[in-house]
Each structure stands twice: as structure tokens, then as C-alpha cells.
């Protein structure tokens, strides 16, 4: 849908109340964006799909205001306000903060501070300039922003509409396009698998919505809607036009970027981002829904591509839609993942090695220190003031922590994820329990045993305590107790011994990952 004749003058720099030399028009399936140099203006197309209704000028004005309000939770420095596009008696167009009563208001637009489109992360990635650390840091930032967002006062009765409804709508939208004529089997198989997984997770979703984990999120968090602004990854262009697609499980927000990285073959970026988010939020209770939401997000991209194909007859869009459906079908058909348990005394380098392995395996990391704090309602880096085997480290609290980790690990393994449970695992009984869990699921478990001399362990603990940047509260007294009770893995256990005084190079890391995943 090209820019209509009534708005064509917006391609003329003279229509703007500020200096600009050239105008660049960018079109999506529901909007036009005009880049003027200092500012960008986003206009909504007069479209009506089952997920968005911009069919009247009044609705477009409302959703322009909503776009500014919602995006200020993520990018307050970018979203400046709403302007009216007016035509005077001679037909000349002007832009102003308010509708001009002496002119005709033709349209409304969101005014944004323009940034270089080359800074969008999909383009940064194409140039090979996107490092894992940037998305790890963004994951932590997103977790903090999610924690401050409004919470939906919902109940389990809302799950069909809030969680399952958008998935159904996506498939129906795809089925309404000519794409369905040639790919009916693919669409049908993918839809059936997605619905089956959703049904299996119904109790999980009931709990999520009832415990306040559905919030007013970004809703459209993929690489093209992130930009490296002033060196910081910033989310923009959140989904303002449909409350049901924005008031979502926070893990659905996470899943879009996670999926987008995986679809592009960037597993290190995907799992680094997820690890940063989980390390900051401690939301391990949410990750059992990750596979479902990643599938949903891939089908969103399939739907958008299909609609773009209908609008523009662009065969590349049709091909993109099919590729996303094929990716989703493979994703939902994954066999159970492998389980890796870290083992070793505090300060032995378990967490450092586990973090490095995330992208190589790839795997979701569950940290006992983070889970322990999260279950107690504390932030991961909060000091609990607990003593040895008291407070958070009371034996009953420890049992509850490992029960929680086993539940989450089992759900992830069943969905096809490899899982690293990052804990000391100094007790043989705890290791055996998790190995039995893997066996029950028909998969393998491996033990990653990290070792270092006592003086190095003590030095690492002192350094860690001084920085305050680790959720572990282990000190020399804890280490002394561990030394007394440590039941080191024996030859009958599936152990990989690591001398953590030696840092593994990339080739050795890749070799280790292969060994851990071997049948």
C-alpha cells in the first residue's frame, strides 16, 4: 500500500517545520515511517486485520498516543509526542503538535528522535558487529524494566484469550492467505503441535497469570526493534495497537528476541541474552513456557511475512513465511535435551565455565544461588545475612531450592532444551536425583567437576565478596564446611574433570561441549 496522494507532499522537505534535505520512506505492513534527518515520523496505515484496526482517523490518533505512552517505558528519549498532519485551503501540508482548527486534519503521526537506521541490531548483526555481551547486558536491563511494568489483574480464566488466542489468530490469518494453498500440510502440522504444547502447559500458564507475570510488555521485541544508541541496546517500536498482544507473559516478550537470534543461527546471542535476563530476574518459573512462546513468535513472523506478500506480491516475503513455519515445526519436534550438572567447591570456577558453555551447547543455565534468592523474594545480588546452614541456607530451604530446580529442569529437558544446573552438588544424593530425572525422560546426564587448589578457592571467594557482583554468599566458613562434607564424584559417575586453574581456549571449549552432548 503506497503512500496515498493526499499525503504525498510529506516526501517534500518543505512540509516540515524544521530543516531537512531529503526524505526517506520506510514501509511495513501496518505503517509508513518518514525519515527526515533529525526526526522520524510514523503514520499508521488505514488497515483492518484481526489483530489490528486502524480503519478510522480517530483510531489512528488514539493509537499514536498509545504508541508514545507505551514506548516511553523502554525508550523515553526517542519518543517525543504526537503531531497532526494538516492541509490548508490550498492543499499544502503542515505538521503541528495539535490539530489546526483552520485546516483539515488528514492524519496523525508519532514524532521520534531519529537515529541512524544502520544502528538497528538486525543490521549490526549483518555487519558482524553484534557481540554477545551487548545482548547479555540488554537481558539484564529488560529484566529490570519488566519488574517495573504494570501487572494484569487476571485469573486462570483469562488464559484461553490471553495465551492461546493469539496463536490461533496467527494460524487463521496465515490460512486466509494464498500461502495456504501450497503449504496446507506444513501449516496444519505446525498448528497441531503448537496447540498440543499449549494444552500441556495449561497449568503453568494458569499459575503465571494468577501470580502477576502477565504485564504491559513491549510485545514486539525482535532484532529490528532494537538499536545500539549511544552504545546501549535500546528497545523501540513496541506493540501499542492491541492490548491482548502487549499485556503478555514476560517470558513471551523474552521469547521473541530469543527466537529471532536462533532463527538467524545466532545461538550464542540467544542463550547469552536469556542467561542475562534470568540472572537478573531469577524467573526460572517462567522458562517452562519458553518453547511455546518461541514457537508463537516464529509464527508471528510467518504471519507478518504472509501479509506483506499479499500487500506487495513480494515472493521473498512468501519464502520467509514458509521458512518460519518450517523452523517452528522443527523447534516443536525436538527430542529431550541433555542435562549437565556442575560440581565443585565454591570458587572452583563452575559458574564461569557454565556461562562460557551456554552458546556452545547451547543450554539454559539454572543457578542455585539465583533460585534460592528468587524463592525467598530477594533480588539475586541482595545480601540475605544468612549464616552457615541457617536462613536461606537452612537444610529445608536448600531442599526447596533443589526441588524447584528439578521441576524447572525437567520441563526444559522435555521441551528439547539442554540444561546446565549450576550448583555445588557436593552431595552424591543430589547428583543421583538429577541423574534419575534425566533417565526418566530418556536422556543423558553429565557431571562437570571443577577443581582448584584451596588457596585459589579462598582468593576467588575474597575477590567475589569484595565486588558484590555475584549472587553467591559463600565465604571461608562455608568453604570449610563443604570440604568436610564433599562427596567427590566417583569413577562410576559420568564425570568430566576440569582443572579450573587453566582457562579453556575456544577450541577446547567446543570439544568439551561436544563431549557433554555425546550419547
Amino acid at each position: 500500500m503506497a503512500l496515498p496522494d493526499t499525503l504525498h507532499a510529506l516526501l517534500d522537505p518543505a512540509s516540515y517545520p524544521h530543516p531537512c534535505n531529503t526524505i526517506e520512506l520506510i514501509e511495513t505492513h501496518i505503517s509508513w515511517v518518514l525519515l527526515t534527518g533529525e526526526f522520524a515520523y510514523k503514520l499508521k496505515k488505514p488497515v483492518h486485520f484481526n489483530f489490528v484496526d486502524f480503519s478510522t482517523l480517530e483510531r489512528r490518533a488514539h493509537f499514536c498516543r498509545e504508541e508514545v505512552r507505551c514506548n516511553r517505558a523502554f525508550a523515553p528519549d526517542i519518543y517525543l509526542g504526537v503531531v497532526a498532519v494538516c492541509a490548508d485551503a490550498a492543499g499544502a501540508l503542515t505538521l503541528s503538535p495539535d490539530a489546526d482548527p483552520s485546516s483539515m486534519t488528514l492524519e496523525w503521526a508519532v514524532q521520534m528522535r531519529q537515529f541512524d537506521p544502520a544502528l538497528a541490531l538486525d543490521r549490526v548483526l549483518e555487519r558482524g558487529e553484534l557481540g554477545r555481551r551487548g545482548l547479555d547486558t540488554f537481558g539484564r536491563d529488560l529484566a529490570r524494566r519488566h519488574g517495573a511494568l504494570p501487572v494484569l489483574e487476571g485469573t486462570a480464566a483469562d488464559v484461553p484469550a490471553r495465551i492461546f488466542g493469539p496463536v490461533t489468530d496467527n494460524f487463521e490469518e496465515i490460512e486466509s492467505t494464498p500461502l495456504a494453498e501450497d503449504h496446507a500440510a506444513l501449516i496444519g502440522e505446525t498448528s497441531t503441535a503448537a496447540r498440543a504444547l499449549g494444552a500441556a502447559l495449561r497449568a503453568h500458564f494458569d499459575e503465571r497469570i494468577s501470580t502477576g507475570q502477565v504485564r504491559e510488555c513491549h510485545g514486539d521485541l525482535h532484532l529490528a526493534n532494537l538499536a545500539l544508541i549511544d552504545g546501549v541496546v535500546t528497545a523501540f517500536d513496541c506493540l501499542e495497537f492491541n492490548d491482548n498482544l502487549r499485556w503478555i507473559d514476560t517470558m513471551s516478550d523474552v521469547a521473541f528476541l530469543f527466537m529471532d537470534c536462533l532463527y538467524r543461527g545466532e545461538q550464542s546471542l540467544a542463550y547469552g541474552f536469556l542467561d542475562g535476563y534470568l540472572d537478573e530476574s531469577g524467573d526460572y518459573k517462567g522458562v517452562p513456557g519458553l518453547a511455546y512462546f518461541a514457537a508463537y513468535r516464529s509464527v508471528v513472523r510467518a504471519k507478518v511475512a504472509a501479509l506483506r506478500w499479499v500487500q506487495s506480491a513480494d515472493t521473498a516475503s512468501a519464502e520467509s513465511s514458509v521458512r518460519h513455519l518450517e523452523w517452528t515445526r522443527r523447534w516443536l519436534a525436538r527430542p529431550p535435551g541433555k542435562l549437565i550438572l556442575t560440581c565443585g567447591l565454591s570458587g572452583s570456577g563452575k559458574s564461569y565455565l557454565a556461562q562460557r558453555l551456554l552458546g556452545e551447547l547451547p543450554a539454559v543455565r539454572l543457578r542455585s544461588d539465583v533460585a534460592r534468592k528468587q524463592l525467598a523474594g530477594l533480588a539475586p545480588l541482595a545480601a540475605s545475612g544468612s549464616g552457615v546452614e541457617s536462613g536461606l541456607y537452612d537444610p529445608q530451604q536448600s531442599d526447596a531450592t533443589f526441588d524447584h530446580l528439578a521441576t524447572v529442569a525437567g520441563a526444559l529437558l522435555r521441551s528439547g532444551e539442554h540444561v546446565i544446573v549450576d550448583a555445588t552438588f557436593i552431595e552424591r544424593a543430589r547428583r543421583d536425583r538429577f541423574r534419575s530425572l534425566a533417565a526418566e525422560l530418556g536422556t543423558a546426564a553429565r557431571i562437570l567437576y571443577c577443581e582448584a587448589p584451596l588457596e585459589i578457592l579462598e582468593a576467588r571467594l575474597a575477590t567475589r565478596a569484595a565486588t558484590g557482583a555475584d549472587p553467591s554468599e559463600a565465604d571461608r566458613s562455608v568453604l570449610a564446611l563443604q570440604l568436610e562434607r564433599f562427596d567427590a564424584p566417583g569413577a562410576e559417575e559420568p564425570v568430566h574433570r576440569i582443572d579450573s586453574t587453566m582457562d579453556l581456549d575456544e577450541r577446547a571449549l567446543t570439544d568439551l561441549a561436544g563431549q557433554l552432548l555425546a550419547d
Side-chain angles (χ1 to χ4, degrees):
M1 182 186 298
L3 196 66
D5 292 341
T6 54
L7 300 176
H8 201 264
L10 290 177
L11 299 176
D12 182 355
S15 297
Y16 296 86
H18 52 79
C20 52
N21 295 320
T22 60
I23 309 296
E24 180 183 352
L25 174 64
I26 298 175
E27 181 179 358
T28 75
H29 62 300
I30 59 172
S31 64
W32 297 290
V33 180
L34 294 148
L35 305 181
T36 72
E38 183 178 0
F39 302 106
Y41 296 89
K42 182 178 179 183
L43 293 80
K44 302 186 184 302
K45 290 181 176 180
V47 296
H48 188 179
F49 300 122
N50 68 0
F51 63 94
V52 58
D53 182 2
F54 292 157
S55 58
T56 69
L57 182 62
E58 182 181 13
R59 291 185 67 83
R60 295 195 292 279
H62 167 73
F63 285 114
C64 282
R65 292 189 292 270
E66 279 291 275
E67 180 168 358
V68 172
R69 180 188 68 82
C70 295
N71 276 286
R72 283 180 173 168
F74 298 91
D77 295 334
I78 294 178
Y79 286 79
L80 304 178
V82 178
V83 297
V85 182
C86 300
D88 62 19
L93 298 190
T94 59
L95 283 79
S96 62
D98 300 296
D100 184 346
S102 66
S103 303
M104 177 185 297
T105 301
L106 300 178
E107 198 52 83
W108 295 87
V110 173
Q111 184 186 35
M112 296 176 284
R113 194 176 307 283
Q114 185 175 321
F115 55 85
D116 185 350
L119 296 177
L121 288 201
D122 57 337
R123 300 193 186 185
V124 175
L125 178 61
E126 288 173 3
R127 298 194 300 270
E129 298 173 1
L130 183 58
R132 172 177 153 178
R133 184 174 297 278
L135 285 192
D136 177 298
T137 301
F138 174 71
R140 296 173 186 277
D141 177 66
L142 180 65
R144 290 188 288 268
R145 291 183 186 275
H146 274 170
L149 294 174
V151 175
L152 178 73
E153 298 297 330
T155 67
D158 297 312
V159 167
R162 290 281 174 186
I163 307 295
F164 301 148
V167 175
T168 299
D169 290 346
N170 283 334
F171 282 110
E172 288 179 352
E173 198 81 35
I174 294 170
E175 289 166 355
S176 72
T177 71
L179 202 69
E181 297 177 9
D182 295 328
H183 301 282
L186 172 61
I187 296 169
E189 290 171 15
T190 309
S191 175
T192 298
R195 293 169 196 262
L197 179 57
L201 289 168
R202 177 59 194 264
H204 168 78
F205 293 136
D206 288 351
E207 180 181 7
R208 293 288 287 176
I209 203 167
S210 300
T211 56
Q213 301 310 314
V214 171
R215 300 182 175 228
E216 189 176 29
C217 295
H218 185 283
D220 202 20
L221 199 65
H222 51 83
L223 285 166
N225 283 347
L226 297 170
L228 197 60
I229 300 175
D230 298 326
V232 177
V233 176
T234 303
F236 66 97
D237 201 20
C238 77
L239 195 153
E240 84 292 342
F241 53 78
N242 187 315
D243 286 354
N244 203 43
L245 301 181
R246 186 175 69 255
W247 287 85
I248 55 176
D249 190 317
T250 52
M251 198 54 61
S252 179
D253 225 19
V254 169
F256 210 157
L257 180 54
F258 176 73
M259 178 282 299
D260 198 19
C261 290
L262 287 180
Y263 176 77
R264 296 167 186 265
E266 298 290 343
Q267 64 182 31
S268 181
L269 293 179
Y271 286 89
F273 158 66
L274 178 64
D275 192 62
Y277 183 88
L278 294 177
D279 228 23
E280 182 67 31
S281 69
D283 189 19
Y284 295 152
K285 289 185 177 180
V287 290
L290 183 66
Y292 177 81
F293 287 129
Y296 159 57
R297 293 306 189 173
S298 182
V299 177
V300 168
R301 302 313 296 162
K303 173 194 69 178
V304 169
L307 293 176
R308 187 178 295 120
W309 174 53
V310 170
Q311 288 183 350
S312 64
D314 176 16
T315 56
S317 295
E319 293 167 358
S320 175
S321 182
V322 172
R323 285 196 300 271
H324 266 289
L325 288 169
E326 290 173 339
W327 184 92
T328 308
R329 181 171 60 181
R330 290 193 302 271
W331 173 259
L332 292 172
R334 292 179 301 166
K338 301 291 174 57
L339 177 64
I340 294 96
L341 310 177
T342 66
C343 176
L345 302 166
S346 293
S348 61
K350 304 179 303 299
S351 295
Y352 171 72
L353 181 56
Q355 186 178 47
R356 291 191 67 201
L357 280 167
L358 293 177
E360 286 288 339
L361 290 167
V364 179
R365 178 171 63 144
L366 307 177
R367 300 182 68 180
S368 62
D369 291 314
V370 172
R372 194 184 300 269
K373 299 279 183 70
Q374 190 271 339
L375 289 174
L378 296 175
L381 297 183
S384 70
S386 302
V388 177
E389 293 200 311
S390 65
L392 293 189
Y393 299 90
D394 174 271
Q396 289 185 331
Q397 292 290 341
S398 293
D399 287 343
T401 298
F402 279 91
D403 287 344
H404 173 48
L405 292 172
T407 298
V408 175
L412 287 170
L413 291 169
R414 278 189 290 271
S415 73
E417 293 289 354
H418 304 312
V419 179
I420 301 176
V421 182
D422 181 358
T424 57
F425 276 109
I426 60 173
E427 303 93 346
R428 169 71 183 263
R430 291 205 197 280
R431 299 194 298 270
D432 287 347
R433 176 191 179 182
F434 278 76
R435 289 179 60 199
S436 295
L437 170 65
E440 290 168 8
L441 296 175
T443 189
R446 299 285 187 270
I447 298 170
L448 196 59
Y449 177 23
C450 296
E451 302 174 276
L454 179 60
E455 60 270 19
I456 290 180
L457 301 180
E458 292 176 339
R460 287 173 176 170
L461 293 183
T463 299
R464 191 163 69 189
T467 62
D470 193 281
S472 173
E473 296 182 70
D475 57 16
R476 294 182 69 174
S477 61
V478 171
L479 180 59
L481 183 63
Q482 290 176 352
L483 284 165
E484 292 178 9
R485 298 185 175 178
F486 189 18
D487 185 4
E492 69 282 5
E493 296 181 78
V495 179
H496 297 261
R497 302 175 73 103
I498 302 294
D499 177 359
S500 72
T501 63
M502 305 290 290
D503 206 10
L504 299 180
D505 60 25
E506 292 301 319
R507 181 174 179 178
L509 193 71
T510 300
D511 289 344
L512 175 60
Q515 294 168 26
L516 292 170
L517 297 182
D519 292 330

